């Protein structure tokens, strides 16, 4: 199934502040202007395909998908 | 026992192998060869190296800094001594977590959201460059358009005065010359440092450090006087990493990296853009009435021009890649200029297409991982503003001359490109 919803989390130590997550999903990720670390602004859920794209594009490999997604 | 190694079909150490652009045929042969291909030891370049030419392998190397290090050994093919590595180190020569700490000092200026603030000033630079070209009814596309825009933008960010932009272009050009075959004059720019300690073994690196020192001096005085400028140089001078300010050497290396990386790469892409504009006019014509295509055209220009040909990593522990066993200390070279034409990833890779899908992404900004191009969003914005303005003006070339390529196996630059309107 590719249209299900999953939960994403950010590893703040791994984040390099590349901003690719914010560019792709600005309703879910925001970069802190001072620390340049990404954090999640929404409930952290995304359609699986979008979540996989964000995980793939994160240059710091800091974003991961939590399985299974809470309902 | 010696295991037979597949050899690279051309001399990848020789800048002349790249004298007329990317050697697509040789790379295609290497991609079709199982495992990694080998280039033997060569006197002035040091130990032999493995070439990574397929996109999936390149992504694997990019994302595993524990196995494929930027800090151990040089990030260019030729080997240098430990003291030279230390002397020239900037964040591009480091691994996490040190790399991450330094990168965060400047990354706020380059986020996709933040770079939008530069759009108006970028467009003004694009306008001025195209005005100059049109007034003269043509000329050298590189010196009139491709060079001044990116150096202007990065100098604005760093806080370098406009009057010094030409000098920094000159120094940046000399740095690139250090990746070619010709020996450099060790005394140029009043250099007093052993060339082997300087980036690209170039005396221009010495001059750039001297310039950085002077600029830092002025900014420090402003900070003390209580009217600090809001630019990256000031930010770097005020920044603390684990409670410590950057040393003068760290600051100078940082400055040089930012000027070089912000200038050279986008300039190369913009130089190639003129060739694309002329040879693939039908693809750009599609965008005339559908400007949403400017975004995908921009990435196609970047993929097709592949401004940085390679970066090297050094293996830290025994491993295996694509069936080739690797030992600690082995040199692994990631050829972006090959991976972005990988026929298992790209449909008709040698065609220039206006509307390629953005998944999978090209690797001209790197294959992901900590060293993913810091300036990717800025470069995209600069190139897309240029394309947009060229469309607005319906710019047409009556003729385009033969490009003179930069002689280098590291950057895919163009020195001169005559165009007539």
């Amino acid at each position: 199934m590719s249209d299900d919803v999953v939960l994403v989390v950010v590893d703040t130590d791994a984040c390099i502040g590349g901003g690719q997550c914010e560019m792709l999903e600005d309703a879910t990720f925001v970069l802190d202007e001072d620390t340049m670390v990404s954090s999640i602004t929404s409930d952290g859920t995304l359609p699986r395909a979008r979540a996989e794209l964000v995980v793939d594009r994160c240059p710091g490999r800091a974003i991961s998908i939590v399985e299974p997604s809470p309902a | 026992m010696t295991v037979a190694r597949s050899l690279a079909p051309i001399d990848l150490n020789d800048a002349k192998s790249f004298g007329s652009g990317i050697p697509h045929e040789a790379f295609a042969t290497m991609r079709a060869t199982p495992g990694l291909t080998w280039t033997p030891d060569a006197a002035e370049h040091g130990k032999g190296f493995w070439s990574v030419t397929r996109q999936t392998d390149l992504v694997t190397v990019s994302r595993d800094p524990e196995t494929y290090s930027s800090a151990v050994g040089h990030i260019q093919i030729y080997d240098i001594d430990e003291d030279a590595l230390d002397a020239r180190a900037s964040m591009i020569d480091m691994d996490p977590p040190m790399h991450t700490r330094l990168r965060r000092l400047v990354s706020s200026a380059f986020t996709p959201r933040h770079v939008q603030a530069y759009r108006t000033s970028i467009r003004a630079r694009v306008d001025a460059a195209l005005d100059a070209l049109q007034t003269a009814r043509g000329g050298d596309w590189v010196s009139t358009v491709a060079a001044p825009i990116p150096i202007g933008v990065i100098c604005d960010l760093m806080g370098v005065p406009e009057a010094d932009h030409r000098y920094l272009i000159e120094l940046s050009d000399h740095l690139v010359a250090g990746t070619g075959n010709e020996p450099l004059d060790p005394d140029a720019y009043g250099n007093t440092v052993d060339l082997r300690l300087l980036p690209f073994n170039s005396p221009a690196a010495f001059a750039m450090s001297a310039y950085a020192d002077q600029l830092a001096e002025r900014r420090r005085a402003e900070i003390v006087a209580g009217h600090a400028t809001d630019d990256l140089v000031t930010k770097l001078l005020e920044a603390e990493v684990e409670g410590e300010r950057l040393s003068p050497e760290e600051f100078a290396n940082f400055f040089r990296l930012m000027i070089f990386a912000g200038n050279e790469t986008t300039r190369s892409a913009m130089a190639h853009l003129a060739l694309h504009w002329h040879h693939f006019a039908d693809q750009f014509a599609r965008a005339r009435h559908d400007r949403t295509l400017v975004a995908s055209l921009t990435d196609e220009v970047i993929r097709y021009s592949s401004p940085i040909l390679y970066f090297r990593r050094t293996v830290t522990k025994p491993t295996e890649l694509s069936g080739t066993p690797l030992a600690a200390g082995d040199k692994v070279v990631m050829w972006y200029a090959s991976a972005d034409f990988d026929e298992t990833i790209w449909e008709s890779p040698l065609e220039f297409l206006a509307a390629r899908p953005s998944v999978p992404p090209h690797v001209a900004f790197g294959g992901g991982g900590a060293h993913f191009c810091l300036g990717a969003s800025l470069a995209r914005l600069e190139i897309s503003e240029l394309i947009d303005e060229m469309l607005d003006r319906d710019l047409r070339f009556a003729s385009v001359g033969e490009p003179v390529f930069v002689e280098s196996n590291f950057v895919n630059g163009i020195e001169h490109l005559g165009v007539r309107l």
Side-chain angles (χ1 to χ4, degrees):
Chain A
M1 250 179 38
S2 63
D3 56 348
D4 57 337
V5 168
V6 295
L7 182 68
V8 290
V9 291
V10 178
D11 174 351
T12 53
D13 288 330
C15 175
I16 63 168
Q20 303 300 300
C21 55
E22 195 186 75
M23 181 171 71
L24 291 164
E25 290 293 337
D26 64 359
T28 301
F29 299 94
V30 67
L31 283 170
D32 184 292
E33 297 251 328
D34 296 320
T35 62
M36 284 318 296
V37 171
S38 173
S39 61
I40 288 170
T41 56
S42 67
D43 62 0
T45 58
L46 283 172
R48 181 179 292 276
R50 293 300 296 177
E52 285 174 351
L53 181 66
V54 172
V55 167
D56 179 65
R57 293 293 176 91
C58 172
R61 312 210 74 188
I63 300 168
S64 49
I65 294 172
V66 180
E67 306 270 7
S69 165
Chain B
M1 191 188 83
T2 312
V3 180
R5 294 174 168 184
S6 303
L7 296 179
I10 55 171
D11 184 1
L12 295 164
N13 280 315
D14 188 352
K16 288 208 166 27
S17 301
F18 301 81
S20 45
I22 300 167
H24 286 299
E25 263 185 49
F27 281 141
T29 304
M30 291 162 76
R31 286 193 297 274
T33 306
L36 308 182
T37 37
W38 177 252
T39 295
D41 304 9
E44 68 273 37
H45 306 285
K47 278 180 56 184
F49 62 89
W50 297 105
S51 282
V52 175
T53 53
R54 289 179 289 270
Q55 183 158 331
T56 47
D57 293 337
L58 186 145
V59 167
T60 300
V61 173
S62 301
R63 296 181 176 193
D64 184 4
E66 285 179 15
T67 308
Y68 304 99
S69 173
S70 296
V72 177
H74 199 196
I75 55 168
Q76 292 196 261
I77 292 173
Y78 63 96
D79 294 314
I80 56 177
D81 296 332
E82 205 62 34
D83 59 340
L85 274 178
D86 287 346
R88 60 176 86 187
S90 66
M91 65 175 171
I92 203 167
D93 313 283
M94 295 174 189
D95 292 327
M98 194 54 200
H99 164 268
T100 313
R101 290 186 197 113
L102 285 171
R103 181 166 169 136
R104 278 184 187 162
L105 297 180
V106 291
S107 53
S108 66
F110 297 95
T111 66
R113 197 183 299 239
H114 193 89
V115 296
Q116 297 306 318
Y118 314 135
R119 187 186 291 275
T120 310
S121 66
I122 289 171
R123 191 62 167 237
R125 289 193 179 279
V126 166
D127 270 327
L130 291 179
D131 283 352
L133 188 83
Q134 287 183 311
T135 304
R137 304 196 59 77
D140 177 21
W141 174 267
V142 177
S143 60
T144 315
V145 178
I149 298 169
I151 191 81
V153 172
I154 194 68
C155 284
D156 283 348
L157 258 71
M158 297 298 286
V160 172
E162 187 88 32
D164 297 338
H165 290 190
R166 292 189 79 84
Y167 180 57
L168 287 173
I169 291 179
E170 183 194 322
L171 294 182
S172 199
D173 286 350
H174 275 256
L175 279 181
V176 179
T179 70
N181 291 352
E182 298 302 313
L184 301 173
D185 172 13
D187 301 322
Y189 301 107
N191 177 44
T192 53
V193 178
D194 195 354
L195 285 188
R196 64 179 192 87
L197 297 177
L198 294 168
F200 304 112
N201 299 329
S202 169
F206 171 82
M208 225 184 246
S209 291
Y211 182 87
D213 288 346
Q214 288 169 17
L215 190 60
E217 209 51 55
R218 268 183 277 161
R219 291 288 179 272
R220 272 198 207 94
E222 289 169 8
I223 295 168
V224 171
H227 44 84
T229 316
D230 180 25
D231 57 36
L232 281 183
V233 164
T234 304
K235 201 173 209 164
L236 285 173
L237 292 172
E238 290 188 308
E240 289 184 3
V241 179
E242 293 173 337
E244 282 188 45
R245 291 271 158 91
L246 297 182
S247 72
E249 291 74 28
E250 285 171 327
F251 168 77
N253 288 349
F254 216 129
F255 178 84
R256 235 179 11 230
L257 173 68
M258 302 291 287
I259 294 291
F260 180 79
N263 171 28
E264 179 58 34
T265 51
T266 307
R267 177 199 342 197
S268 293
M270 286 181 167
H272 283 273
L273 163 61
L275 290 175
H276 305 157
W277 181 262
H278 191 58
H279 295 310
F280 312 119
D282 57 323
Q283 296 300 312
F284 287 93
R286 293 180 59 188
R288 205 164 287 140
H289 302 292
D290 179 8
R291 294 297 172 96
T292 61
L293 288 174
V294 170
S296 53
L297 272 166
T298 297
D299 274 293
E300 184 69 341
V301 167
I302 295 164
R303 177 189 78 91
Y304 212 85
S305 55
S306 203
I308 297 286
L309 295 168
Y310 80 85
F311 269 117
R312 167 191 152 187
R313 299 290 183 258
T314 303
V315 176
T316 59
K317 56 191 178 201
T319 186
E320 188 187 300
L321 185 60
S322 222
T324 298
L326 298 170
D330 278 3
K331 293 155 68 169
V332 171
V333 175
M334 299 180 281
W335 293 100
Y336 306 105
S338 171
D340 272 335
F341 295 86
D342 184 335
E343 41 289 281
T344 65
I345 303 286
W346 304 95
E347 208 179 313
S348 313
L350 288 170
E351 278 180 41
F352 181 101
L353 300 175
R356 281 197 188 271
S358 60
V359 179
H362 61 72
V363 294
F365 290 130
H371 292 281
F372 181 82
C373 176
L374 173 67
S377 299
L378 184 62
R380 281 192 173 114
L381 180 62
E382 291 181 48
I383 295 162
S384 64
E385 287 297 305
L386 177 56
I387 294 174
D388 201 46
E389 186 60 34
M390 288 163 75
L391 290 167
D392 276 0
R393 295 182 185 217
D394 196 16
L395 195 73
R396 283 164 202 253
F397 298 142
S399 67
V400 171
E402 277 298 306
V404 179
F405 286 96
V406 174
E407 199 171 271
S408 167
N409 70 347
F410 176 58
V411 296
N412 187 24
I414 296 177
E415 244 170 80
H416 299 290
L417 181 65
V419 299
R420 285 199 320 159
L421 302 187

